[in-house]
């Protein structure tokens, strides 16, 4: 509850966020914040770890109705993928586990698995395996995230480009 209340504050204020701001947002006494997180650094680390988690985006992508046309499914998935990537870029740097590995790779793999499932109903119609297309689509969507959402291509355009290519039918 404290981390959920702190996330938007950390995005807005960065490391200048105070424990009293977090306590007010969470609706708890400041002492509760200090009990859960003895140092502000621990709170900021918990916020970064929460931001890196892709569970919400994976669940949203898995909830996309497979009866919808593939282009519609991919357009929805792109919006969820971009939302995740934007949150990660705003809040979390490259968080590492105890062995020094980037945890973010595991989250991207989970997202790729959810994207792969969106391609499965059309497996027989595809020129490439769903796993490969999921990787390509993920790369397309995420490539525009770093440059800023104002410059990103619309999700529907990315889905159409992947499915139908750049050339008009002859």
């Amino acid at each position: 509850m404290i981390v959920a209340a702190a996330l938007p504050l950390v995005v807005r204020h960065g490391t200048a966020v105070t424990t009293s701001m977090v306590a007010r947002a969470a609706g708890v006494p400041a002492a509760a914040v200090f009990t859960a997180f003895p140092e502000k650094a621990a709170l900021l680390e918990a916020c970064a770890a929460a931001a890196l988690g892709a569970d919400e985006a994976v669940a949203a992508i898995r909830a996309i109705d497979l009866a919808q046309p593939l282009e519609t499914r991919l357009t929805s998935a792109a919006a969820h993928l971009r939302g995740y990537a934007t949150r990660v870029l705003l809040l979390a740097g490259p968080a590492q586990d105890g062995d020094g590995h980037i945890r973010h790779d595991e989250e991207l793999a989970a997202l790729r698995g959810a994207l792969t499932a969106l391609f499965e109903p059309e497996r027989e119609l595809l020129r490439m395996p769903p796993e490969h297309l999921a990787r390509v689509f993920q790369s397309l969507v995420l490539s525009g995230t770093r440059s800023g959402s104002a410059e990103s291509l619309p999700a529907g355009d990315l889905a159409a480009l992947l499915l139908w290519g750049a050339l008009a039918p002859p």
Side-chain angles (χ1 to χ4, degrees):
M1 177 177 81
I2 293 173
V3 172
L7 275 170
L9 295 171
V10 173
V11 168
R12 194 174 313 122
H13 302 285
T15 57
V17 69
T18 65
T19 51
S20 61
M21 292 165 65
V22 172
R24 271 192 306 277
V28 299
V33 177
F34 285 115
T35 300
F37 302 97
E39 302 172 348
K40 186 165 88 169
L43 174 62
L44 294 174
E45 187 175 311
C47 287
L52 279 175
D55 294 346
E56 185 179 314
V58 169
I61 292 170
R62 290 189 191 277
I64 295 171
D65 182 3
L66 296 179
Q68 295 179 21
L70 182 56
E71 189 169 352
T72 302
R73 295 191 312 256
L74 293 178
T75 300
S76 295
H80 295 299
L81 191 56
R82 277 192 177 150
Y84 167 76
T86 300
R87 186 179 76 229
V88 168
L89 290 172
L90 280 174
L91 188 60
Q96 297 183 348
D97 63 19
D99 297 328
H101 295 101
I102 303 292
R103 289 191 308 242
H104 188 56
D105 289 346
E106 294 170 11
E107 304 299 334
L108 290 175
L111 286 164
R112 213 168 24 258
L115 292 170
T116 298
L118 296 180
F119 287 99
E120 283 298 336
E122 282 80 14
R123 179 181 274 280
E124 298 303 316
L125 301 172
L126 301 173
R127 291 183 13 198
M128 298 176 191
E131 299 80 10
H132 182 75
L133 291 171
R135 183 176 297 277
V136 170
F137 186 66
Q138 187 176 41
S139 295
L140 276 173
V141 172
L142 294 179
S143 68
T145 306
R146 288 199 172 108
S147 62
S149 59
E151 297 177 25
S152 295
L153 293 171
D157 289 357
L158 293 175
L161 179 62
L162 178 69
L163 292 177
W164 315 120
L167 298 175

